[in-house]
Amino acid sequence: MRQPLVAGNWKMNGSKASAETLLAGIKEGMGGISKTEVLVCPPFPYLGLAVSALAGSRVAVGAQNACTEAGGAFTGEVSAAMVKDVGCIYVILGHSERRQYYGETDEIIAKKYAQALAAGLTPILCVGETLAERERGETQSVVARHLDGVMETAGIEAIARGVIAYEPVWAIGTGMTATPEQAQEVHAFLRQRVAAKSAEVAAGVRILYGGSMKPDNALELMSQADIDGGLIGGASLKASDFLAICRA
Ligand code: 13P
Protein backbone atom coordinates (compact mmCIF):
# COMPACT_ATOMS: atom_id res chain seq x y z
CA MET A 1 0.00 0.00 0.00
CA ARG A 2 1.52 3.29 -1.10
CA GLN A 3 1.06 6.18 1.32
CA PRO A 4 -0.21 9.26 -0.53
CA LEU A 5 2.16 12.24 -0.59
CA VAL A 6 1.11 15.82 -1.19
CA ALA A 7 4.02 18.19 -1.70
CA GLY A 8 3.94 21.97 -2.05
CA ASN A 9 6.53 23.44 -4.41
CA TRP A 10 6.62 27.12 -3.47
CA LYS A 11 9.03 27.91 -6.32
CA MET A 12 10.62 31.39 -6.00
CA ASN A 13 7.70 32.97 -4.16
CA GLY A 14 7.11 34.72 -0.87
CA SER A 15 9.06 36.48 1.84
CA LYS A 16 10.13 35.58 5.35
CA ALA A 17 6.89 37.05 6.66
CA SER A 18 4.63 35.31 4.17
CA ALA A 19 6.48 32.01 4.66
CA GLU A 20 5.90 32.24 8.42
CA THR A 21 2.20 32.90 7.91
CA LEU A 22 1.82 30.06 5.42
CA LEU A 23 3.72 27.58 7.59
CA ALA A 24 1.66 28.48 10.66
CA GLY A 25 -1.54 28.07 8.65
CA ILE A 26 -0.52 24.64 7.38
CA LYS A 27 0.60 23.48 10.82
CA GLU A 28 -2.65 24.58 12.43
CA GLY A 29 -4.81 23.04 9.74
CA MET A 30 -3.33 19.53 9.84
CA GLY A 31 -6.08 18.16 12.06
CA GLY A 32 -7.86 15.26 10.38
CA ILE A 33 -5.06 14.67 7.85
CA SER A 34 -3.63 11.35 8.99
CA LYS A 35 -3.31 9.08 5.94
CA THR A 36 -1.46 11.51 3.70
CA GLU A 37 2.18 12.47 4.06
CA VAL A 38 2.49 16.25 3.74
CA LEU A 39 5.58 18.09 2.51
CA VAL A 40 6.46 21.72 1.86
CA CYS A 41 9.38 22.83 -0.34
CA PRO A 42 10.16 26.53 0.31
CA PRO A 43 13.04 28.46 -1.28
CA PHE A 44 16.51 27.75 0.22
CA PRO A 45 16.67 30.79 2.57
CA TYR A 46 13.47 29.71 4.32
CA LEU A 47 14.27 26.01 4.79
CA GLY A 48 15.66 26.37 8.31
CA LEU A 49 12.78 28.59 9.28
CA ALA A 50 10.32 26.00 7.90
CA VAL A 51 11.97 23.15 9.79
CA SER A 52 11.71 25.16 13.05
CA ALA A 53 8.16 26.33 12.42
CA LEU A 54 6.97 22.79 11.64
CA ALA A 55 8.80 21.06 14.49
CA GLY A 56 6.44 18.71 16.29
CA SER A 57 4.04 18.61 13.34
CA ARG A 58 3.57 15.90 10.71
CA VAL A 59 4.67 18.20 7.91
CA ALA A 60 8.04 17.45 6.33
CA VAL A 61 10.32 19.95 4.62
CA GLY A 62 12.19 19.60 1.34
CA ALA A 63 14.29 21.70 -1.03
CA GLN A 64 13.60 22.50 -4.67
CA ASN A 65 17.08 21.73 -5.97
CA ALA A 66 20.55 20.68 -4.87
CA CYS A 67 24.01 20.59 -6.43
CA THR A 68 25.59 17.89 -8.60
CA GLU A 69 28.69 18.03 -6.38
CA ALA A 70 29.18 17.01 -2.75
CA GLY A 71 30.92 20.23 -1.68
CA GLY A 72 33.80 22.61 -2.28
CA ALA A 73 34.48 25.49 -4.64
CA PHE A 74 31.08 25.81 -6.35
CA THR A 75 30.06 29.41 -5.68
CA GLY A 76 26.35 29.90 -5.29
CA GLU A 77 25.50 26.22 -5.04
CA VAL A 78 23.85 24.32 -2.19
CA SER A 79 24.74 20.68 -1.53
CA ALA A 80 22.29 17.90 -0.76
CA ALA A 81 24.18 17.32 2.50
CA MET A 82 23.49 20.94 3.55
CA VAL A 83 19.82 20.53 2.73
CA LYS A 84 19.77 17.38 4.86
CA ASP A 85 21.78 19.08 7.61
CA VAL A 86 19.17 21.82 8.14
CA GLY A 87 16.47 19.19 8.61
CA CYS A 88 15.06 18.49 5.16
CA ILE A 89 13.95 15.02 4.15
CA TYR A 90 13.16 15.50 0.46
CA VAL A 91 14.54 17.35 -2.55
CA ILE A 92 12.75 18.06 -5.83
CA LEU A 93 15.01 17.34 -8.82
CA GLY A 94 14.65 17.79 -12.56
CA HIS A 95 11.70 20.16 -12.42
CA SER A 96 10.81 21.31 -15.93
CA GLU A 97 11.62 24.91 -14.96
CA ARG A 98 15.17 23.79 -14.13
CA ARG A 99 15.41 21.81 -17.35
CA GLN A 100 14.02 24.71 -19.39
CA TYR A 101 15.62 27.81 -17.82
CA TYR A 102 18.83 26.40 -16.34
CA GLY A 103 19.77 23.86 -18.96
CA GLU A 104 19.54 20.84 -16.70
CA THR A 105 20.01 17.70 -18.72
CA ASP A 106 19.18 14.13 -17.75
CA GLU A 107 22.89 13.66 -17.05
CA ILE A 108 22.98 16.60 -14.61
CA ILE A 109 19.79 15.44 -12.93
CA ALA A 110 21.17 11.91 -12.52
CA LYS A 111 24.24 13.36 -10.75
CA LYS A 112 22.03 15.42 -8.44
CA TYR A 113 19.90 12.37 -7.76
CA ALA A 114 22.93 10.33 -6.74
CA GLN A 115 24.14 13.16 -4.47
CA ALA A 116 20.71 13.41 -2.85
CA LEU A 117 20.66 9.69 -2.07
CA ALA A 118 24.23 9.79 -0.77
CA ALA A 119 23.21 12.63 1.57
CA GLY A 120 20.24 10.64 2.88
CA LEU A 121 17.55 12.70 1.16
CA THR A 122 14.58 11.31 -0.75
CA PRO A 123 14.66 12.75 -4.29
CA ILE A 124 11.45 13.61 -6.12
CA LEU A 125 12.28 13.14 -9.80
CA CYS A 126 10.13 15.30 -12.10
CA VAL A 127 9.37 14.10 -15.61
CA GLY A 128 7.03 15.52 -18.23
CA GLU A 129 6.49 16.54 -21.82
CA THR A 130 5.87 19.94 -23.41
CA LEU A 131 2.71 20.64 -25.39
CA ALA A 132 4.61 20.38 -28.67
CA GLU A 133 6.00 16.99 -27.64
CA ARG A 134 2.51 15.77 -26.69
CA GLU A 135 1.10 16.97 -29.99
CA ARG A 136 3.85 15.12 -31.84
CA GLY A 137 2.89 11.95 -29.97
CA GLU A 138 6.16 11.91 -28.02
CA THR A 139 4.79 11.91 -24.46
CA GLN A 140 5.88 8.37 -23.68
CA SER A 141 9.31 8.65 -25.24
CA VAL A 142 10.00 11.92 -23.39
CA VAL A 143 8.95 10.70 -19.93
CA ALA A 144 10.77 7.41 -20.56
CA ARG A 145 13.96 9.36 -21.36
CA HIS A 146 13.57 11.44 -18.17
CA LEU A 147 13.00 8.33 -16.05
CA ASP A 148 15.74 6.32 -17.73
CA GLY A 149 18.18 9.18 -17.17
CA VAL A 150 18.23 8.14 -13.52
CA MET A 151 17.13 4.50 -13.73
CA GLU A 152 19.83 3.51 -16.23
CA THR A 153 22.68 5.29 -14.46
CA ALA A 154 21.82 5.04 -10.76
CA GLY A 155 19.92 1.76 -11.05
CA ILE A 156 16.53 0.48 -10.03
CA GLU A 157 17.50 0.64 -6.34
CA ALA A 158 17.81 4.41 -6.70
CA ILE A 159 14.28 4.57 -8.06
CA ALA A 160 13.07 2.51 -5.09
CA ARG A 161 14.50 5.15 -2.74
CA GLY A 162 12.85 8.10 -4.47
CA VAL A 163 9.52 9.45 -5.66
CA ILE A 164 8.52 10.18 -9.28
CA ALA A 165 6.42 13.21 -10.23
CA TYR A 166 4.70 13.41 -13.60
CA GLU A 167 4.33 17.07 -14.49
CA PRO A 168 3.16 17.77 -18.03
CA VAL A 169 4.84 21.10 -18.83
CA TRP A 170 1.70 22.39 -20.57
CA ALA A 171 -0.29 21.95 -17.35
CA ILE A 172 2.12 23.83 -15.06
CA GLY A 173 0.78 27.19 -13.96
CA THR A 174 -1.62 27.31 -16.89
CA GLY A 175 -4.86 26.17 -15.26
CA MET A 176 -4.90 23.48 -17.98
CA THR A 177 -4.90 20.34 -15.83
CA ALA A 178 -4.37 16.97 -17.47
CA THR A 179 -7.61 15.01 -17.37
CA PRO A 180 -7.55 12.15 -14.86
CA GLU A 181 -7.46 9.75 -17.83
CA GLN A 182 -4.53 11.56 -19.51
CA ALA A 183 -2.58 11.58 -16.25
CA GLN A 184 -3.41 7.98 -15.37
CA GLU A 185 -2.24 6.80 -18.79
CA VAL A 186 1.21 8.32 -18.28
CA HIS A 187 1.43 7.20 -14.64
CA ALA A 188 0.61 3.63 -15.68
CA PHE A 189 3.22 3.83 -18.43
CA LEU A 190 5.87 5.02 -15.96
CA ARG A 191 5.01 2.28 -13.49
CA GLN A 192 5.21 -0.35 -16.24
CA ARG A 193 8.60 0.97 -17.24
CA VAL A 194 9.82 0.58 -13.66
CA ALA A 195 8.14 -2.87 -13.53
CA ALA A 196 10.21 -3.99 -16.50
CA LYS A 197 13.22 -3.74 -14.13
CA SER A 198 11.49 -4.75 -10.89
CA ALA A 199 7.83 -5.52 -10.20
CA GLU A 200 8.43 -4.99 -6.51
CA VAL A 201 9.88 -1.50 -6.93
CA ALA A 202 7.07 -0.60 -9.36
CA ALA A 203 4.43 -1.64 -6.84
CA GLY A 204 6.02 0.46 -4.11
CA VAL A 205 7.21 3.63 -5.84
CA ARG A 206 4.99 6.66 -5.49
CA ILE A 207 4.14 8.62 -8.62
CA LEU A 208 2.75 12.12 -7.99
CA TYR A 209 0.86 14.25 -10.46
CA GLY A 210 1.70 17.95 -10.81
CA GLY A 211 0.24 20.66 -13.02
CA SER A 212 -2.61 22.96 -12.00
CA MET A 213 -3.79 20.61 -9.27
CA LYS A 214 -6.40 22.46 -7.18
CA PRO A 215 -8.87 21.59 -4.42
CA ASP A 216 -11.61 21.04 -7.00
CA ASN A 217 -9.74 18.56 -9.22
CA ALA A 218 -7.47 16.85 -6.67
CA LEU A 219 -9.87 14.10 -5.63
CA GLU A 220 -10.60 12.97 -9.17
CA LEU A 221 -6.92 12.91 -10.08
CA MET A 222 -5.85 11.14 -6.92
CA SER A 223 -8.58 8.52 -7.30
CA GLN A 224 -6.73 7.12 -10.31
CA ALA A 225 -5.04 3.77 -9.70
CA ASP A 226 -1.49 4.95 -10.37
CA ILE A 227 -1.66 8.51 -8.97
CA ASP A 228 -0.25 8.53 -5.46
CA GLY A 229 -0.47 12.20 -4.61
CA GLY A 230 0.36 15.62 -5.94
CA LEU A 231 3.15 18.11 -6.47
CA ILE A 232 1.40 21.43 -6.07
CA GLY A 233 2.66 24.81 -7.26
CA GLY A 234 0.29 27.79 -7.15
CA ALA A 235 -2.27 26.20 -4.83
CA SER A 236 0.43 25.38 -2.26
CA LEU A 237 0.89 29.10 -1.53
CA LYS A 238 -2.49 29.34 0.20
CA ALA A 239 -2.82 27.22 3.34
CA SER A 240 -6.54 26.54 2.90
CA ASP A 241 -6.13 25.36 -0.71
CA PHE A 242 -3.09 23.25 0.08
CA LEU A 243 -4.81 21.63 3.06
CA ALA A 244 -7.94 20.98 1.00
CA ILE A 245 -5.78 19.06 -1.50
CA CYS A 246 -4.16 17.10 1.36
CA ARG A 247 -7.65 16.16 2.58
CA ALA A 248 -8.64 14.99 -0.92
P1 13P B 1 1.12 24.58 -10.61
O1 13P B 1 0.38 23.78 -9.56
O2 13P B 1 1.19 26.03 -10.29
O3 13P B 1 0.58 24.29 -11.97
O4 13P B 1 2.64 24.07 -10.61
C1 13P B 1 2.90 22.72 -10.63
C2 13P B 1 4.35 22.51 -10.39
O5 13P B 1 5.19 22.89 -11.20
C3 13P B 1 4.75 21.85 -9.15
O6 13P B 1 6.08 21.49 -9.16
mmCIF file of all heavy atoms in Angstrom, residues 9-15 18-19 42-43 46 64 233-234 237:
data_model
loop_
_atom_site.group_PDB
_atom_site.id
_atom_site.type_symbol
_atom_site.label_atom_id
_atom_site.label_comp_id
_atom_site.label_asym_id
_atom_site.label_seq_id
_atom_site.Cartn_x
_atom_site.Cartn_y
_atom_site.Cartn_z
ATOM 1 N N ASN A 9 5.326 22.825 -3.828
ATOM 2 C CA ASN A 9 6.530 23.436 -4.407
ATOM 3 C C ASN A 9 6.271 24.943 -4.471
ATOM 4 O O ASN A 9 5.557 25.403 -5.347
ATOM 5 C CB ASN A 9 6.776 22.852 -5.804
ATOM 6 C CG ASN A 9 7.923 23.542 -6.530
ATOM 7 O OD1 ASN A 9 8.640 24.357 -5.939
ATOM 8 N ND2 ASN A 9 8.099 23.222 -7.802
ATOM 9 N N TRP A 10 6.882 25.663 -3.557
ATOM 10 C CA TRP A 10 6.623 27.118 -3.470
ATOM 11 C C TRP A 10 7.301 27.880 -4.599
ATOM 12 O O TRP A 10 7.046 29.059 -4.803
ATOM 13 C CB TRP A 10 7.099 27.663 -2.129
ATOM 14 C CG TRP A 10 6.346 27.160 -0.928
ATOM 15 C CD1 TRP A 10 5.418 26.149 -0.889
ATOM 16 C CD2 TRP A 10 6.449 27.653 0.416
ATOM 17 N NE1 TRP A 10 4.947 25.988 0.392
ATOM 18 C CE2 TRP A 10 5.572 26.897 1.217
ATOM 19 C CE3 TRP A 10 7.214 28.650 1.029
ATOM 20 C CZ2 TRP A 10 5.421 27.110 2.593
ATOM 21 C CZ3 TRP A 10 7.075 28.868 2.395
ATOM 22 C CH2 TRP A 10 6.172 28.106 3.164
ATOM 23 N N LYS A 11 8.219 27.249 -5.282
ATOM 24 C CA LYS A 11 9.025 27.910 -6.319
ATOM 25 C C LYS A 11 9.690 29.164 -5.728
ATOM 26 O O LYS A 11 9.990 29.177 -4.533
ATOM 27 C CB LYS A 11 8.168 28.203 -7.551
ATOM 28 C CG LYS A 11 7.440 26.918 -8.026
ATOM 29 C CD LYS A 11 6.817 27.009 -9.373
ATOM 30 C CE LYS A 11 6.153 25.673 -9.705
ATOM 31 N NZ LYS A 11 5.547 25.653 -11.033
ATOM 32 N N MET A 12 9.906 30.213 -6.531
ATOM 33 C CA MET A 12 10.620 31.390 -6.000
ATOM 34 C C MET A 12 9.590 32.443 -5.584
ATOM 35 O O MET A 12 9.518 33.531 -6.156
ATOM 36 C CB MET A 12 11.593 31.938 -7.043
ATOM 37 C CG MET A 12 12.602 32.908 -6.433
ATOM 38 S SD MET A 12 13.917 33.408 -7.567
ATOM 39 C CE MET A 12 13.068 34.469 -8.700
ATOM 40 N N ASN A 13 8.771 32.078 -4.602
ATOM 41 C CA ASN A 13 7.699 32.969 -4.164
ATOM 42 C C ASN A 13 7.796 33.246 -2.674
ATOM 43 O O ASN A 13 8.264 32.418 -1.910
ATOM 44 C CB ASN A 13 6.334 32.322 -4.452
ATOM 45 C CG ASN A 13 6.024 32.302 -5.933
ATOM 46 O OD1 ASN A 13 5.885 33.341 -6.568
ATOM 47 N ND2 ASN A 13 5.933 31.103 -6.494
ATOM 48 N N GLY A 14 7.303 34.399 -2.283
ATOM 49 C CA GLY A 14 7.115 34.722 -0.874
ATOM 50 C C GLY A 14 8.255 35.505 -0.260
ATOM 51 O O GLY A 14 9.226 35.887 -0.926
ATOM 52 N N SER A 15 8.094 35.741 1.029
ATOM 53 C CA SER A 15 9.064 36.481 1.837
ATOM 54 C C SER A 15 9.147 35.741 3.162
ATOM 55 O O SER A 15 8.391 34.792 3.391
ATOM 56 C CB SER A 15 8.546 37.900 2.071
ATOM 57 O OG SER A 15 7.306 37.825 2.787
ATOM 58 N N SER A 18 5.711 36.113 4.762
ATOM 59 C CA SER A 18 4.627 35.308 4.168
ATOM 60 C C SER A 18 4.881 33.811 4.376
ATOM 61 O O SER A 18 3.946 33.031 4.553
ATOM 62 C CB SER A 18 4.436 35.642 2.685
ATOM 63 O OG SER A 18 5.496 35.128 1.914
ATOM 64 N N ALA A 19 6.155 33.418 4.399
ATOM 65 C CA ALA A 19 6.482 32.010 4.661
ATOM 66 C C ALA A 19 6.033 31.631 6.070
ATOM 67 O O ALA A 19 5.444 30.568 6.283
ATOM 68 C CB ALA A 19 7.979 31.770 4.487
ATOM 69 N N PRO A 42 9.950 25.075 0.435
ATOM 70 C CA PRO A 42 10.159 26.528 0.305
ATOM 71 C C PRO A 42 11.491 26.814 -0.385
ATOM 72 O O PRO A 42 12.325 25.927 -0.539
ATOM 73 C CB PRO A 42 10.197 27.011 1.759
ATOM 74 C CG PRO A 42 9.774 25.861 2.621
ATOM 75 C CD PRO A 42 10.119 24.630 1.838
ATOM 76 N N PRO A 43 11.737 28.070 -0.754
ATOM 77 C CA PRO A 43 13.045 28.460 -1.284
ATOM 78 C C PRO A 43 14.146 28.230 -0.234
ATOM 79 O O PRO A 43 13.871 28.257 0.971
ATOM 80 C CB PRO A 43 12.884 29.961 -1.564
ATOM 81 C CG PRO A 43 11.406 30.176 -1.681
ATOM 82 C CD PRO A 43 10.772 29.190 -0.748
ATOM 83 N N TYR A 46 14.519 29.924 3.315
ATOM 84 C CA TYR A 46 13.471 29.712 4.318
ATOM 85 C C TYR A 46 13.386 28.263 4.803
ATOM 86 O O TYR A 46 12.459 27.904 5.526
ATOM 87 C CB TYR A 46 12.107 30.161 3.757
ATOM 88 C CG TYR A 46 12.131 31.559 3.184
ATOM 89 C CD1 TYR A 46 11.529 31.848 1.967
ATOM 90 C CD2 TYR A 46 12.788 32.599 3.859
ATOM 91 C CE1 TYR A 46 11.576 33.131 1.429
ATOM 92 C CE2 TYR A 46 12.848 33.875 3.320
ATOM 93 C CZ TYR A 46 12.243 34.138 2.107
ATOM 94 O OH TYR A 46 12.300 35.396 1.567
ATOM 95 N N GLN A 64 14.044 22.539 -3.267
ATOM 96 C CA GLN A 64 13.596 22.501 -4.666
ATOM 97 C C GLN A 64 14.699 22.138 -5.646
ATOM 98 O O GLN A 64 14.462 22.031 -6.848
ATOM 99 C CB GLN A 64 13.029 23.875 -5.061
ATOM 100 C CG GLN A 64 11.867 24.325 -4.219
ATOM 101 C CD GLN A 64 11.511 25.774 -4.484
ATOM 102 O OE1 GLN A 64 11.898 26.348 -5.503
ATOM 103 N NE2 GLN A 64 10.778 26.380 -3.566
ATOM 104 N N GLY A 233 1.980 23.523 -7.151
ATOM 105 C CA GLY A 233 2.659 24.806 -7.259
ATOM 106 C C GLY A 233 1.789 25.907 -6.681
ATOM 107 O O GLY A 233 1.719 26.106 -5.465
ATOM 108 N N GLY A 234 1.088 26.623 -7.550
ATOM 109 C CA GLY A 234 0.294 27.786 -7.149
ATOM 110 C C GLY A 234 -0.603 27.560 -5.935
ATOM 111 O O GLY A 234 -0.630 28.386 -5.011
ATOM 112 N N LEU A 237 0.539 27.816 -2.147
ATOM 113 C CA LEU A 237 0.894 29.096 -1.525
ATOM 114 C C LEU A 237 -0.232 29.642 -0.664
ATOM 115 O O LEU A 237 -0.102 30.696 -0.044
ATOM 116 C CB LEU A 237 1.265 30.117 -2.618
ATOM 117 C CG LEU A 237 2.491 29.741 -3.471
ATOM 118 C CD1 LEU A 237 2.668 30.712 -4.633
ATOM 119 C CD2 LEU A 237 3.759 29.699 -2.611
#
